Each structure stands twice: as structure tokens, then as C-alpha cells.
Amino acid sequence: SAVISQKPSRDICQRGTSLTIQCQVDSQVTMMFWYRQQPGQSLTLIATANQGSEATYESGFVIDKFPISRPNLTFSTLTVSNMSPEDSSIYLCSAAGTVNEKLFFGSGTQLSVL
Amino acid sequence: KQEVTQIPAALSVPEGENLVLNCSFTDSAIYNLQWFRQDPGKGLTSLLLIQSSQREQTSGRLNASLDKSSGRSTLYIAASQPGDSATYLCAVSRNRDDKIIFGKGTRLHILP
């Protein structure tokens, strides 16, 4: 298993600003993923964070809006840029030792944009 | 396009009862299926993972079954306790390198 520390746990931000969310895993993992969970909705995959290369984004998500870093096998960041109220959501990072084996999740970041 | 549906969206049962949560998926060609638990304001905790070649997995009071041909999975919780109150999500993947598709979850409330 893996323990994932995610921070901040929540934040209230002003429109037009940016927020960077950090995830630290207690062991080396191959794959890290960033999800968004909007109220009453299921989890939606934003991107897969690849160590040593650019993140792979899902349809509807772009690097300029959600830049991701993955400097090593235990750490990743997601930035929500130029925020608007529509970005208010829970953001979750997850990790798996190999793709699509058991997923482990951080505790999530509750983001509110005013 | 794979779609995952969970019914009911919410469920309240008295403590001590056995209960079943349902998950259905439209594409039966899956690699594995996972059940997760999410507590309010928290991340997800993996409960059970069933590979496509398996029919069920058990962990304590939890039992998950998988019927690929009918596109269904159930999560059985025995002797429910108030601590079981949470949202339960199921998720499927098509293959080893494909993304995981989540259902919207079932919000379970166990009444003391």
C-alpha cells in the first residue's frame, strides 16, 4: 500500500488567481493521477502525471489551465490557473504501483473560488 | 464509451442489517473492477479489487462479486454498523493501460 499526503486540504481563492496542490507519496510509484470531483458527480480524470515527461491530459483539460509537475517518483503538483467559480471542486491525487492496480488516494483538496 | 451506474444513489438502513450495493457497466470488456469508500471531506479508500478473471473478493464483512457477461457487480455488507456510513464508489478499467471510469457512488447511511 501507499500513503499519500495531499495539501492544502481546503482553500478559498479569488477569481483570477492560481492555486498549486501538492501530493507526496511515501514510496516510489510509477503512475500518479489527478482527478476532479464536482458536487454530486463522479470522479473525472484530469491527467496522468508521468515522471520525466509531460503529463497526459484527458479530453477537456489543457496544460495551460492545469499545469502538472512530476519531478520524481514520489511527488507531483497540480496547479489550477486563472481560477473561476466553475473550478470550485474537490481535487484528488492518486497513485498506483502499476497502471490500474489498486489505487491509493490523497485526502483531497476542497477548492472554493469566489 | 464505458459508463458506470450505481443504484441507488442513496440508501438508509438500520444498524445490523445486511445490504447490497449495485454497480453496472456498459462495456463488459473490463480489466478489473474496484470498490472504494469515501468519507465526507476525505479521499477514497480502496476496499476490494476484482480482476476480470475472478468472480468475487472478500474482506471481513465485505464481499464483492463480478458478473462480466451481464456488466454487473455487487458489494455486500454484512451486519452493517454506523461506521459503515460513507459513499461507496465502483470503478472499472478497460485494460492495464487505460483510465479508470468511476460511478457516481451510493451514499450509505446506517441508522443507529
Side-chain angles (χ1 to χ4, degrees):
Chain A
S1 65
V3 176
I4 302 177
S5 301
Q6 182 175 343
K7 60 180 181 181
S9 58
R10 59 178 62 241
D11 207 341
I12 300 173
C13 300
Q14 296 296 321
R15 181 194 298 261
T17 63
S18 298
L19 175 71
T20 296
I21 304 168
Q22 299 180 2
C23 265
Q24 178 75 52
V25 189
D26 69 345
S27 59
Q28 293 186 343
V29 292
T30 305
M31 310 294 290
M32 291 186 73
F33 309 92
W34 287 97
Y35 288 88
R36 181 173 71 183
Q37 186 179 29
Q38 294 178 309
Q41 301 298 313
S42 62
L43 276 71
T44 300
L45 181 64
I46 297 171
T48 301
N50 306 306
Q51 195 270 332
S53 64
E54 280 196 2
T56 304
Y57 288 84
E58 297 298 311
S59 175
F61 298 96
V62 295
I63 187 171
D64 289 345
K65 176 67 174 176
F66 297 102
I68 287 171
S69 77
R70 180 85 195 273
N72 56 52
L73 291 175
T74 64
F75 187 77
S76 180
T77 67
L78 169 76
T79 299
V80 186
S81 302
N82 188 25
M83 288 183 286
S84 66
E86 292 72 34
D87 295 320
S88 297
S89 186
I90 298 174
Y91 292 84
L92 296 142
C93 69
S94 70
T98 55
V99 176
N100 285 341
E101 297 301 330
K102 267 197 178 183
L103 278 187
F104 300 93
F105 281 82
S107 55
T109 297
Q110 175 76 61
L111 172 62
S112 298
V113 184
L114 305 179
Chain B
K1 177 185 173 184
Q2 178 74 275
E3 293 183 1
V4 180
T5 303
Q6 292 186 246
I7 296 173
L11 180 65
S12 293
V13 299
E15 179 180 2
E17 283 198 4
N18 304 324
L19 60 98
V20 174
L21 306 181
N22 297 295
C23 172
S24 62
F25 44 95
T26 54
D27 186 349
S28 62
I30 64 169
Y31 177 72
N32 64 31
L33 180 146
Q34 296 187 64
W35 282 93
F36 295 87
R37 168 184 173 139
Q38 185 176 29
D39 293 285
K42 305 280 187 175
L44 279 69
T45 301
S46 179
L47 297 173
L48 292 163
L49 182 150
I50 310 177
Q51 300 290 355
S52 61
S53 58
Q54 298 174 323
R55 295 297 298 270
E56 66 177 350
Q57 283 287 325
T58 298
S59 176
R61 294 183 293 109
L62 305 179
N63 176 275
S65 68
L66 174 63
D67 184 343
K68 274 181 51 178
S69 61
S70 66
R72 293 181 181 180
S73 175
T74 61
L75 178 66
Y76 175 83
I77 302 177
S80 58
Q81 303 170 359
D84 295 330
S85 298
T87 297
Y88 292 81
L89 299 99
C90 75
V92 298
S93 61
R94 185 174 59 185
N95 57 53
R96 188 179 166 85
D97 297 321
D98 203 3
K99 65 181 181 182
I100 294 175
I101 307 297
F102 284 83
K104 292 185 179 182
T106 294
R107 292 189 313 278
L108 176 64
H109 182 48
I110 305 300
L111 305 168

PDB file of all heavy atoms in Angstrom, chain B residues 19-37:
ATOM      1  N   LEU B  19     -26.763  -5.642   3.576  1.00  0.00           N
ATOM      2  CA  LEU B  19     -27.208  -4.820   2.459  1.00  0.00           C
ATOM      3  C   LEU B  19     -26.356  -5.070   1.232  1.00  0.00           C
ATOM      4  O   LEU B  19     -25.233  -5.575   1.311  1.00  0.00           O
ATOM      5  CB  LEU B  19     -27.187  -3.342   2.851  1.00  0.00           C
ATOM      6  CG  LEU B  19     -25.846  -2.763   3.262  1.00  0.00           C
ATOM      7  CD1 LEU B  19     -25.212  -2.035   2.096  1.00  0.00           C
ATOM      8  CD2 LEU B  19     -26.010  -1.791   4.444  1.00  0.00           C
ATOM      9  N   VAL B  20     -26.910  -4.689   0.089  1.00  0.00           N
ATOM     10  CA  VAL B  20     -26.243  -4.874  -1.199  1.00  0.00           C
ATOM     11  C   VAL B  20     -26.251  -3.570  -1.968  1.00  0.00           C
ATOM     12  O   VAL B  20     -27.291  -2.927  -2.117  1.00  0.00           O
ATOM     13  CB  VAL B  20     -26.951  -5.970  -2.030  1.00  0.00           C
ATOM     14  CG1 VAL B  20     -26.337  -6.055  -3.421  1.00  0.00           C
ATOM     15  CG2 VAL B  20     -26.868  -7.311  -1.321  1.00  0.00           C
ATOM     16  N   LEU B  21     -25.084  -3.184  -2.446  1.00  0.00           N
ATOM     17  CA  LEU B  21     -24.957  -2.024  -3.324  1.00  0.00           C
ATOM     18  C   LEU B  21     -24.684  -2.533  -4.739  1.00  0.00           C
ATOM     19  O   LEU B  21     -23.934  -3.498  -4.914  1.00  0.00           O
ATOM     20  CB  LEU B  21     -23.812  -1.121  -2.859  1.00  0.00           C
ATOM     21  CG  LEU B  21     -23.866  -0.667  -1.401  1.00  0.00           C
ATOM     22  CD1 LEU B  21     -22.678   0.236  -1.088  1.00  0.00           C
ATOM     23  CD2 LEU B  21     -25.166   0.037  -1.095  1.00  0.00           C
ATOM     24  N   ASN B  22     -25.275  -1.874  -5.708  1.00  0.00           N
ATOM     25  CA  ASN B  22     -25.194  -2.333  -7.090  1.00  0.00           C
ATOM     26  C   ASN B  22     -24.376  -1.413  -7.981  1.00  0.00           C
ATOM     27  O   ASN B  22     -24.398  -0.188  -7.812  1.00  0.00           O
ATOM     28  CB  ASN B  22     -26.602  -2.445  -7.679  1.00  0.00           C
ATOM     29  CG  ASN B  22     -27.433  -3.476  -6.949  1.00  0.00           C
ATOM     30  OD1 ASN B  22     -27.135  -4.663  -6.985  1.00  0.00           O
ATOM     31  ND2 ASN B  22     -28.470  -3.025  -6.270  1.00  0.00           N
ATOM     32  N   CYS B  23     -23.696  -2.017  -8.919  1.00  0.00           N
ATOM     33  CA  CYS B  23     -22.898  -1.283  -9.891  1.00  0.00           C
ATOM     34  C   CYS B  23     -23.079  -1.974 -11.238  1.00  0.00           C
ATOM     35  O   CYS B  23     -22.992  -3.209 -11.318  1.00  0.00           O
ATOM     36  CB  CYS B  23     -21.428  -1.293  -9.477  1.00  0.00           C
ATOM     37  SG  CYS B  23     -20.275  -0.609 -10.689  1.00  0.00           S
ATOM     38  N   SER B  24     -23.347  -1.203 -12.279  1.00  0.00           N
ATOM     39  CA  SER B  24     -23.439  -1.777 -13.615  1.00  0.00           C
ATOM     40  C   SER B  24     -22.559  -0.987 -14.565  1.00  0.00           C
ATOM     41  O   SER B  24     -22.344   0.217 -14.365  1.00  0.00           O
ATOM     42  CB  SER B  24     -24.889  -1.788 -14.108  1.00  0.00           C
ATOM     43  OG  SER B  24     -25.384  -0.468 -14.194  1.00  0.00           O
ATOM     44  N   PHE B  25     -22.051  -1.671 -15.573  1.00  0.00           N
ATOM     45  CA  PHE B  25     -21.183  -1.033 -16.551  1.00  0.00           C
ATOM     46  C   PHE B  25     -21.587  -1.490 -17.948  1.00  0.00           C
ATOM     47  O   PHE B  25     -22.066  -2.614 -18.156  1.00  0.00           O
ATOM     48  CB  PHE B  25     -19.700  -1.322 -16.272  1.00  0.00           C
ATOM     49  CG  PHE B  25     -19.396  -2.745 -15.914  1.00  0.00           C
ATOM     50  CD1 PHE B  25     -18.976  -3.647 -16.894  1.00  0.00           C
ATOM     51  CD2 PHE B  25     -19.507  -3.200 -14.604  1.00  0.00           C
ATOM     52  CE1 PHE B  25     -18.685  -4.965 -16.566  1.00  0.00           C
ATOM     53  CE2 PHE B  25     -19.222  -4.503 -14.265  1.00  0.00           C
ATOM     54  CZ  PHE B  25     -18.810  -5.396 -15.251  1.00  0.00           C
ATOM     55  N   THR B  26     -21.427  -0.600 -18.916  1.00  0.00           N
ATOM     56  CA  THR B  26     -21.985  -0.845 -20.243  1.00  0.00           C
ATOM     57  C   THR B  26     -21.089  -1.706 -21.124  1.00  0.00           C
ATOM     58  O   THR B  26     -21.582  -2.407 -22.003  1.00  0.00           O
ATOM     59  CB  THR B  26     -22.250   0.495 -20.948  1.00  0.00           C
ATOM     60  OG1 THR B  26     -21.042   1.266 -20.952  1.00  0.00           O
ATOM     61  CG2 THR B  26     -23.354   1.263 -20.251  1.00  0.00           C
ATOM     62  N   ASP B  27     -19.788  -1.652 -20.926  1.00  0.00           N
ATOM     63  CA  ASP B  27     -18.854  -2.438 -21.733  1.00  0.00           C
ATOM     64  C   ASP B  27     -18.287  -3.567 -20.873  1.00  0.00           C
ATOM     65  O   ASP B  27     -17.576  -3.303 -19.900  1.00  0.00           O
ATOM     66  CB  ASP B  27     -17.730  -1.537 -22.249  1.00  0.00           C
ATOM     67  CG  ASP B  27     -16.796  -2.256 -23.215  1.00  0.00           C
ATOM     68  OD1 ASP B  27     -16.891  -3.506 -23.338  1.00  0.00           O
ATOM     69  OD2 ASP B  27     -15.968  -1.580 -23.843  1.00  0.00           O
ATOM     70  N   SER B  28     -18.612  -4.801 -21.224  1.00  0.00           N
ATOM     71  CA  SER B  28     -18.208  -5.936 -20.391  1.00  0.00           C
ATOM     72  C   SER B  28     -16.722  -6.297 -20.529  1.00  0.00           C
ATOM     73  O   SER B  28     -16.213  -7.110 -19.772  1.00  0.00           O
ATOM     74  CB  SER B  28     -19.054  -7.163 -20.729  1.00  0.00           C
ATOM     75  OG  SER B  28     -18.848  -7.537 -22.074  1.00  0.00           O
ATOM     76  N   ALA B  29     -16.048  -5.669 -21.487  1.00  0.00           N
ATOM     77  CA  ALA B  29     -14.620  -5.962 -21.687  1.00  0.00           C
ATOM     78  C   ALA B  29     -13.791  -5.133 -20.708  1.00  0.00           C
ATOM     79  O   ALA B  29     -13.204  -4.119 -21.078  1.00  0.00           O
ATOM     80  CB  ALA B  29     -14.226  -5.657 -23.121  1.00  0.00           C
ATOM     81  N   ILE B  30     -13.760  -5.583 -19.455  1.00  0.00           N
ATOM     82  CA  ILE B  30     -13.026  -4.839 -18.439  1.00  0.00           C
ATOM     83  C   ILE B  30     -11.784  -5.603 -18.011  1.00  0.00           C
ATOM     84  O   ILE B  30     -11.694  -6.828 -18.167  1.00  0.00           O
ATOM     85  CB  ILE B  30     -13.903  -4.542 -17.201  1.00  0.00           C
ATOM     86  CG1 ILE B  30     -14.316  -5.844 -16.506  1.00  0.00           C
ATOM     87  CG2 ILE B  30     -15.120  -3.707 -17.589  1.00  0.00           C
ATOM     88  CD1 ILE B  30     -14.949  -5.617 -15.145  1.00  0.00           C
ATOM     89  N   TYR B  31     -10.835  -4.851 -17.449  1.00  0.00           N
ATOM     90  CA  TYR B  31      -9.606  -5.443 -16.936  1.00  0.00           C
ATOM     91  C   TYR B  31      -9.758  -5.779 -15.465  1.00  0.00           C
ATOM     92  O   TYR B  31      -9.356  -6.827 -15.000  1.00  0.00           O
ATOM     93  CB  TYR B  31      -8.454  -4.468 -17.167  1.00  0.00           C
ATOM     94  CG  TYR B  31      -7.121  -4.888 -16.623  1.00  0.00           C
ATOM     95  CD1 TYR B  31      -6.404  -5.917 -17.211  1.00  0.00           C
ATOM     96  CD2 TYR B  31      -6.580  -4.243 -15.517  1.00  0.00           C
ATOM     97  CE1 TYR B  31      -5.169  -6.301 -16.710  1.00  0.00           C
ATOM     98  CE2 TYR B  31      -5.347  -4.622 -15.012  1.00  0.00           C
ATOM     99  CZ  TYR B  31      -4.652  -5.646 -15.621  1.00  0.00           C
ATOM    100  OH  TYR B  31      -3.437  -6.027 -15.125  1.00  0.00           O
ATOM    101  N   ASN B  32     -10.305  -4.828 -14.721  1.00  0.00           N
ATOM    102  CA  ASN B  32     -10.638  -5.084 -13.332  1.00  0.00           C
ATOM    103  C   ASN B  32     -11.710  -4.120 -12.868  1.00  0.00           C
ATOM    104  O   ASN B  32     -12.088  -3.187 -13.584  1.00  0.00           O
ATOM    105  CB  ASN B  32      -9.407  -5.037 -12.406  1.00  0.00           C
ATOM    106  CG  ASN B  32      -8.752  -3.663 -12.345  1.00  0.00           C
ATOM    107  OD1 ASN B  32      -9.400  -2.639 -12.475  1.00  0.00           O
ATOM    108  ND2 ASN B  32      -7.442  -3.655 -12.138  1.00  0.00           N
ATOM    109  N   LEU B  33     -12.230  -4.385 -11.681  1.00  0.00           N
ATOM    110  CA  LEU B  33     -13.246  -3.529 -11.065  1.00  0.00           C
ATOM    111  C   LEU B  33     -12.853  -3.313  -9.619  1.00  0.00           C
ATOM    112  O   LEU B  33     -12.411  -4.244  -8.941  1.00  0.00           O
ATOM    113  CB  LEU B  33     -14.630  -4.172 -11.174  1.00  0.00           C
ATOM    114  CG  LEU B  33     -15.816  -3.387 -10.580  1.00  0.00           C
ATOM    115  CD1 LEU B  33     -17.085  -3.626 -11.415  1.00  0.00           C
ATOM    116  CD2 LEU B  33     -16.073  -3.738  -9.127  1.00  0.00           C
ATOM    117  N   GLN B  34     -12.995  -2.080  -9.161  1.00  0.00           N
ATOM    118  CA  GLN B  34     -12.660  -1.769  -7.773  1.00  0.00           C
ATOM    119  C   GLN B  34     -13.846  -1.127  -7.075  1.00  0.00           C
ATOM    120  O   GLN B  34     -14.604  -0.382  -7.690  1.00  0.00           O
ATOM    121  CB  GLN B  34     -11.469  -0.798  -7.695  1.00  0.00           C
ATOM    122  CG  GLN B  34     -10.182  -1.356  -8.233  1.00  0.00           C
ATOM    123  CD  GLN B  34      -9.007  -0.427  -7.980  1.00  0.00           C
ATOM    124  OE1 GLN B  34      -8.633  -0.173  -6.848  1.00  0.00           O
ATOM    125  NE2 GLN B  34      -8.436   0.070  -9.068  1.00  0.00           N
ATOM    126  N   TRP B  35     -13.958  -1.408  -5.800  1.00  0.00           N
ATOM    127  CA  TRP B  35     -14.901  -0.716  -4.930  1.00  0.00           C
ATOM    128  C   TRP B  35     -14.100   0.163  -3.962  1.00  0.00           C
ATOM    129  O   TRP B  35     -13.101  -0.289  -3.380  1.00  0.00           O
ATOM    130  CB  TRP B  35     -15.751  -1.710  -4.143  1.00  0.00           C
ATOM    131  CG  TRP B  35     -16.861  -2.311  -4.943  1.00  0.00           C
ATOM    132  CD1 TRP B  35     -16.844  -3.479  -5.644  1.00  0.00           C
ATOM    133  CD2 TRP B  35     -18.176  -1.764  -5.110  1.00  0.00           C
ATOM    134  NE1 TRP B  35     -18.059  -3.697  -6.235  1.00  0.00           N
ATOM    135  CE2 TRP B  35     -18.905  -2.659  -5.923  1.00  0.00           C
ATOM    136  CE3 TRP B  35     -18.828  -0.615  -4.646  1.00  0.00           C
ATOM    137  CZ2 TRP B  35     -20.232  -2.447  -6.293  1.00  0.00           C
ATOM    138  CZ3 TRP B  35     -20.144  -0.403  -5.012  1.00  0.00           C
ATOM    139  CH2 TRP B  35     -20.827  -1.314  -5.827  1.00  0.00           C
ATOM    140  N   PHE B  36     -14.568   1.415  -3.823  1.00  0.00           N
ATOM    141  CA  PHE B  36     -13.925   2.377  -2.946  1.00  0.00           C
ATOM    142  C   PHE B  36     -14.940   2.896  -1.930  1.00  0.00           C
ATOM    143  O   PHE B  36     -16.146   2.894  -2.164  1.00  0.00           O
ATOM    144  CB  PHE B  36     -13.397   3.586  -3.731  1.00  0.00           C
ATOM    145  CG  PHE B  36     -12.301   3.284  -4.696  1.00  0.00           C
ATOM    146  CD1 PHE B  36     -12.592   2.876  -5.991  1.00  0.00           C
ATOM    147  CD2 PHE B  36     -10.975   3.422  -4.326  1.00  0.00           C
ATOM    148  CE1 PHE B  36     -11.575   2.613  -6.891  1.00  0.00           C
ATOM    149  CE2 PHE B  36      -9.951   3.169  -5.225  1.00  0.00           C
ATOM    150  CZ  PHE B  36     -10.261   2.756  -6.514  1.00  0.00           C
ATOM    151  N   ARG B  37     -14.396   3.398  -0.842  1.00  0.00           N
ATOM    152  CA  ARG B  37     -15.196   4.087   0.152  1.00  0.00           C
ATOM    153  C   ARG B  37     -14.688   5.515   0.260  1.00  0.00           C
ATOM    154  O   ARG B  37     -13.459   5.746   0.250  1.00  0.00           O
ATOM    155  CB  ARG B  37     -15.049   3.369   1.498  1.00  0.00           C
ATOM    156  CG  ARG B  37     -15.591   4.147   2.673  1.00  0.00           C
ATOM    157  CD  ARG B  37     -15.340   3.454   3.985  1.00  0.00           C
ATOM    158  NE  ARG B  37     -15.746   4.326   5.082  1.00  0.00           N
ATOM    159  CZ  ARG B  37     -16.375   3.906   6.156  1.00  0.00           C
ATOM    160  NH1 ARG B  37     -16.662   2.625   6.314  1.00  0.00           N
ATOM    161  NH2 ARG B  37     -16.705   4.762   7.103  1.00  0.00           N
TER     162      ARG B  37
END
